[in-house]
Amino acid sequence: MTNLSVNLNKVALLRNARNFGKPSVIEAALTCIKAGAQGITVHPRPDQRHIKPEDVDALAQILTVEFNIEGNPSPQFLEIVRKIKPTQCTLVPDAPDAFTSDHGWDLATDGSWLRPIIGELKDLGVRVSLFMDTDLTQIERAKEIGSDRIELYTEPYATAFRNGNVESVFQDYQKAAHKAQEIGLGVNAGHDLNLQNLEKFCTISGILEVSIGHALIADALEVGLFNAVQDYLKILSFK
Ligand SMILES: CC(=O)[C@@H](O)[C@H](O)COP(=O)(O)O
Ligand SMILES: NCC(=O)COP(=O)(O)O
């Protein structure tokens, strides 16, 4: 079964629009857990536009499910991960001012300096995942430099699905997932997954985790967070 890790970035984004701490990231996490989510994901960006280091600290105190911290492995980010030692760290090649995450790693360029970071995090007991596109050679490099998993960046799939021409793109994700599994990498996925495109995506066998934030929090504005989480879990459990 594919685990659901709810990304709470957008709860923090709304919280930051005032200075009295509502909506609460902690309360949102507890609601997601009560609804059955198997994980919580946060992406503490350098500009702290949403998740702040103190959110990460507070979540670490209360989480009873997997904790996935995503980000570019800057010194400040690694300081957070070393302190928290989350279940999983997903390394993402985002620039500090990125509008959002919009590409996977180029490990031909970055693999050599990522390798020791991956090794350090694994030595700390943190599962390491690399945010990747569907390029098969890049996926092979992810294994070579020691990553435990990859997270397939799914915005191209989501866009093609929305545009009604998803089949060829979907096959790229099928091939990428199969290649990763063939060489011993676990496969996660995330970015712009939603209630409409998730079921098809999860027909790909062996997807271990989907991390979903933007669409799920948007859905929660209509049906409530508890119900939104359960709507996604219904799709995943029927897979
Ligand atoms: C890595 C990824 O695709 C998302 O988890 C990312 O965290 C989205 O970031 P924003 O919520 O800042 O758009
Ligand atoms: N890694 C993807 C994630 O955590 C959430 O991405 P999105 O659903 O907010 O696009």
Side-chain angles (χ1 to χ4, degrees), residues 40-134:
I40 294 293
T41 290
V42 293
H43 190 149
R45 293 186 179 273
D47 61 12
Q48 299 190 21
R49 67 188 74 167
H50 40 55
I51 293 290
K52 299 177 182 296
E54 50 266 36
D55 293 317
V56 182
D57 290 343
L59 285 165
Q61 300 300 318
I62 59 99
L63 286 186
T64 55
V65 295
E66 292 210 346
F67 193 13
N68 177 39
I69 303 179
E70 298 185 326
N72 184 303
S74 68
Q76 296 76 16
F77 176 80
L78 289 174
E79 189 180 330
I80 292 170
V81 177
R82 290 185 187 110
K83 175 182 173 184
I84 301 297
K85 301 185 185 62
T87 317
Q88 177 174 267
C89 178
T90 302
L91 300 178
V92 186
D94 286 6
D97 62 348
F99 176 67
T100 186
S101 307
D102 60 7
H103 63 282
W105 286 103
D106 175 1
L107 297 178
T109 305
D110 299 322
S112 57
W113 64 266
L114 279 172
R115 184 194 294 266
I117 292 172
I118 293 168
E120 179 199 354
L121 296 181
K122 288 173 71 170
D123 288 347
L124 292 171
V126 177
R127 181 203 304 150
V128 176
S129 181
L130 294 179
F131 197 63
M132 302 298 290
D133 299 310
T134 55

Side-chain angles (χ1 to χ4, degrees), residues 7 10 41 70 131 151 190-192 211-214:
N7 183 309
K10 301 301 160 27
T41 290
E70 298 185 326
F131 197 63
E151 176 179 341
H191 205 97
D192 287 346
S211 43
I212 304 175
H214 192 94

Side-chain angles (χ1 to χ4, degrees), residues 84-210:
I84 301 297
K85 301 185 185 62
T87 317
Q88 177 174 267
C89 178
T90 302
L91 300 178
V92 186
D94 286 6
D97 62 348
F99 176 67
T100 186
S101 307
D102 60 7
H103 63 282
W105 286 103
D106 175 1
L107 297 178
T109 305
D110 299 322
S112 57
W113 64 266
L114 279 172
R115 184 194 294 266
I117 292 172
I118 293 168
E120 179 199 354
L121 296 181
K122 288 173 71 170
D123 288 347
L124 292 171
V126 177
R127 181 203 304 150
V128 176
S129 181
L130 294 179
F131 197 63
M132 302 298 290
D133 299 310
T134 55
D135 182 297
L136 303 185
T137 304
Q138 294 284 3
I139 290 170
E140 288 173 337
R141 292 192 180 109
K143 179 65 178 178
E144 285 163 14
I145 64 173
S147 194
D148 296 302
R149 294 191 184 181
I150 60 169
E151 176 179 341
L152 290 173
Y153 167 52
T154 49
E155 183 278 331
Y157 163 78
T159 299
F161 187 96
R162 190 167 56 245
N163 295 337
N165 59 355
V166 72
E167 277 317 312
S168 67
V169 173
F170 178 69
Q171 288 171 20
D172 291 342
Y173 284 86
Q174 284 180 307
K175 290 170 187 167
H178 295 159
K179 166 58 77 175
Q181 291 155 355
E182 185 182 81
I183 60 177
L185 284 167
V187 182
N188 297 343
H191 205 97
D192 287 346
L193 294 174
N194 60 36
L195 286 176
Q196 291 71 41
N197 64 33
L198 182 61
E199 185 170 7
K200 179 180 182 64
F201 189 84
C202 286
T203 61
I204 298 173
S205 63
I207 303 294
L208 298 174
E209 173 194 286
V210 288

